[in-house]
Amino acid sequence: NMTKEITIEQNQYGTYSVYEFGEYPQSSVLAGQTLKQFLDMYDTAEEAAQEHPSAELCYRDAHNHFDHL
């Protein structure tokens, strides 16, 4: 199983959202594409990093495409 990537992103509320990236299961119409899942929200990037030490402070787009549907 691939290591899940976790990001900390500043959101529109001035707080920080933590997301985990995985892959959609084979049963999904988006099978094999990136799954971006919201985990939690924190007041500061520091708090988020304490809870999720492996996370990167960056914005990452899931880049999903629907051409195959």
Side-chain angles (χ1 to χ4, degrees):
N1 199 0
M2 60 180 253
T3 312
K4 294 213 190 309
E5 186 184 334
I6 295 175
T7 61
I8 299 166
E9 301 178 7
Q10 191 162 18
N11 59 39
Q12 68 264 40
Y13 312 111
T15 57
Y16 291 83
S17 300
V18 177
Y19 294 95
E20 181 178 76
F21 289 83
E23 213 173 81
Y24 282 96
Q26 288 309 305
S27 58
S28 169
V29 292
L30 294 176
Q33 293 192 50
T34 303
L35 167 63
K36 182 176 182 177
Q37 212 169 0
F38 174 78
L39 294 184
D40 214 338
M41 199 182 283
Y42 299 88
D43 291 333
T44 66
E46 290 73 32
E47 277 179 74
Q50 277 177 342
E51 291 293 312
H52 304 276
S54 66
E56 277 184 80
L57 182 60
C58 65
Y59 173 75
R60 182 176 158 194
D61 196 332
H63 293 301
N64 288 325
H65 50 85
F66 299 89
D67 331 331
H68 65 297
L69 297 183

